[in-house]
Amino acid sequence: MKVLVIDDNAVNRRYVKSVIEQEGIEVFTAKDGVSGISLAAELNPDSILVDIQMPDMDGFECLESLKKVPNLNAPILAITAYSNPEDRDKFIAKGFQDYITKPVKPNVLSSTINYWLKNSEKKEQQSTLVRKQEFDMAAKDELLKHIDPVGVQELYKQFEVEINEFMSNLQQLNSSKNFYNICSILHTIKGNAGSLGFFELSEMASELEENTKLGDTNNLEQDILDLKAYTQQLFYRYETHFN
Amino acid sequence: MTEVGYKKVLVAEDSSVIQNLLKKILLFENCKLTSAKDGQSVIDKYKNEDFDLIIMDINLPVLDGLSATKEIRLLEGDKGNIPIIGISGNAKNLPVSEFFEAGMNEYVQKPLNYDELISLVKKYTAE
């Protein structure tokens, strides 16, 4: 792993370098934007830390030029003394992945760098593991006794399309507080998921249906979002595992 | 640390879907889960009982996960040093550094990568 630090202040550069090196990461430094950009192009680092307040080229200009470096996909983090909420939004809007505020605490710096190094790796290799309670092959085998493989394949695809529709319906129905129809959709999901072998999804829908019926709807919005996120991950894993 | 045979994990999460999911996944890792649905009840439960690990959602009612973490870090002795793994959909797009600043040891973004979460739970509950 290689990290590039661009900072005009020699003391900061040395401090940041020594903290990150303790994590077993190789650190390169540049004292201004121009040399930082050419070093980034040469090294193709795994992450880049850019100080915001620098003479000549500031952190934002530096970021703009870094974004134009070919093949450079590293997460770029800002180091800054600014820390009010408006600044935060500005950094993220401009394209910084994250930012660290000064005075920089060693544990915050190393945890944040480690998080982003791990995270950019992860994009390429998401989990393709399918757990048994998530999807039970026996249910599919059962269907294959009665339906040809192409038909079964279509059925699963249809289920996925339908679930996505259901999820947006649930969100709409929740904003109009139509809990009766929410229960009916959840009931359908419970049944369908169960028949196809997605037992965990079936159980989740069932539980949400029960809660909603009992009038426990305070967390429903978040629960629907979570259920949606779960189904997306489930289908991703299902497809990468079986196709 | 607290009991022989299994690890005690306190899960602060307001969504029952995720609570349940974590229960199922971590059951195989020899963990016994206790649930708390808001930030204040995490603190209350933790003050009255010892745990090996806390898994904390950021977006919690009553008291959010970051404030709850800061409060736990102020507790004296070993109580203040319990490992805390933050989880969140990060809908507010907070910088990740803020979670560590609050005192969390790790952060996992939702939708959860189970392999990653399990390996972190193992890391922090190892003898």
Side-chain angles (χ1 to χ4, degrees):
Chain A
M1 286 289 170
K2 283 179 289 192
V3 170
L4 173 63
V5 179
I6 306 173
D7 195 325
D8 62 307
N9 184 295
V11 176
N12 283 346
R13 278 202 305 277
R14 202 146 124 210
Y15 171 74
V16 170
K17 183 176 183 313
S18 67
V19 170
I20 304 176
E21 272 177 348
Q22 295 238 322
E23 300 296 305
I25 296 161
E26 208 178 349
V27 183
F28 299 84
T29 58
K31 62 175 171 35
D32 56 49
V34 175
S35 60
I37 290 152
S38 62
L39 204 54
E42 187 189 322
L43 295 167
N44 198 7
D46 301 287
S47 181
I48 303 173
L49 284 164
V50 182
D51 183 30
I52 291 297
Q53 268 182 313
M54 291 190 288
D56 304 327
M57 184 190 270
D58 74 13
F60 292 110
E61 292 171 276
C62 187
L63 172 74
E64 283 313 306
S65 305
L66 284 169
K67 282 201 273 191
K68 289 177 195 141
V69 174
N71 302 322
L72 187 69
N73 304 312
I76 303 171
L77 280 55
I79 298 187
T80 174
Y82 312 105
S83 65
N84 65 49
E86 292 83 62
D87 287 328
R88 164 204 303 160
D89 293 343
K90 194 166 118 195
F91 293 134
I92 304 299
K94 295 266 182 184
F96 281 108
Q97 191 71 252
D98 205 341
Y99 75 83
I100 299 167
T101 44
K102 289 179 185 174
V104 177
K105 291 183 194 137
N107 65 320
V108 172
L109 174 61
S110 53
S111 297
T112 307
I113 277 287
N114 274 326
Y115 176 83
W116 286 114
L117 289 175
K118 222 166 42 177
N119 227 267
S120 46
E121 250 182 310
K122 206 170 60 185
K123 276 178 208 149
E124 290 148 35
Q125 39 159 334
Q126 272 201 37
S127 171
T128 56
L129 191 82
V130 175
R131 288 171 300 114
K132 185 159 189 283
Q133 68 269 36
E134 221 173 38
F135 175 66
D136 190 348
M137 198 60 199
K140 194 174 184 180
D141 287 340
E142 200 55 41
L143 287 170
L144 284 166
K145 284 185 194 162
H146 307 284
I147 307 169
D148 66 284
V150 176
V152 171
Q153 190 82 357
E154 278 170 6
L155 204 60
Y156 278 88
K157 193 68 218 167
Q158 188 195 357
F159 176 70
E160 184 183 341
V161 171
E162 190 187 60
I163 282 284
N164 291 335
E165 281 171 16
F166 279 157
M167 290 303 152
S168 27
N169 289 346
L170 284 174
Q171 286 174 308
Q172 280 168 13
L173 288 168
N174 187 44
S175 37
S176 58
K177 307 254 175 265
N178 189 339
F179 300 126
Y180 182 80
N181 285 354
I182 287 178
C183 283
S184 115
I185 289 181
L186 288 169
H187 194 81
T188 309
I189 295 175
K190 175 176 105 181
N192 294 0
S195 338
L196 296 186
F198 298 106
F199 293 125
E200 204 157 72
L201 175 58
S202 173
E203 248 178 77
M204 286 174 169
S206 162
E207 190 171 322
L208 213 50
E209 186 196 352
E210 287 307 311
N211 288 351
T212 311
K213 266 188 191 158
L214 294 170
D216 180 4
T217 55
N218 289 339
N219 293 323
L220 193 56
E221 190 186 359
Q222 185 60 43
D223 283 342
I224 291 170
L225 277 176
D226 289 336
L227 192 67
K228 188 177 175 183
Y230 172 78
T231 58
Q232 281 163 356
Q233 235 200 7
L234 174 68
F235 289 125
Y236 173 82
R237 280 199 297 272
Y238 174 80
E239 268 156 38
T240 35
H241 193 78
F242 291 104
N243 299 340
Chain B
M1 170 185 143
T2 36
E3 304 250 356
V4 183
Y6 61 86
K7 298 293 176 182
K8 291 175 70 180
V9 181
L10 180 56
V11 179
E13 166 66 64
D14 59 331
S15 155
S16 44
V17 175
I18 301 291
Q19 279 277 10
N20 228 331
L21 190 70
L22 290 176
K23 231 169 225 171
K24 290 187 170 106
I25 293 168
L26 295 177
L27 187 71
F28 296 102
E29 304 309 318
N30 220 13
C31 292
K32 189 168 177 266
L33 267 62
T34 301
S35 305
K37 290 226 162 193
D38 65 70
Q40 190 53 51
S41 69
V42 184
I43 294 171
D44 296 343
K45 284 186 181 176
Y46 181 57
K47 278 183 178 164
N48 290 322
E49 198 178 337
D50 283 334
F51 289 91
D52 298 292
L53 173 72
I54 298 177
I55 297 177
M56 180 98 74
D57 187 23
I58 308 289
N59 205 351
L60 290 172
V62 190
L63 187 70
D64 70 72
L66 292 179
S67 310
T69 300
K70 285 178 195 162
E71 225 171 286
I72 288 170
R73 289 292 175 243
L74 292 175
L75 299 174
E76 283 179 18
D78 278 350
K79 270 285 191 193
N81 293 326
I82 185 166
I84 300 178
I85 299 176
I87 55 173
S88 170
N90 201 3
K92 287 184 195 148
N93 234 331
L94 293 174
V96 171
S97 58
E98 213 158 285
F99 307 146
F100 300 122
E101 194 92 44
M104 291 180 162
N105 301 71
E106 301 282 349
Y107 168 67
V108 183
Q109 177 111 14
K110 289 180 188 171
L112 296 171
N113 177 321
Y114 306 130
D115 297 343
E116 188 188 355
L117 188 67
I118 287 169
S119 76
L120 287 177
V121 168
K122 278 185 179 158
K123 176 179 165 189
Y124 285 98
T125 57
E127 295 301 332

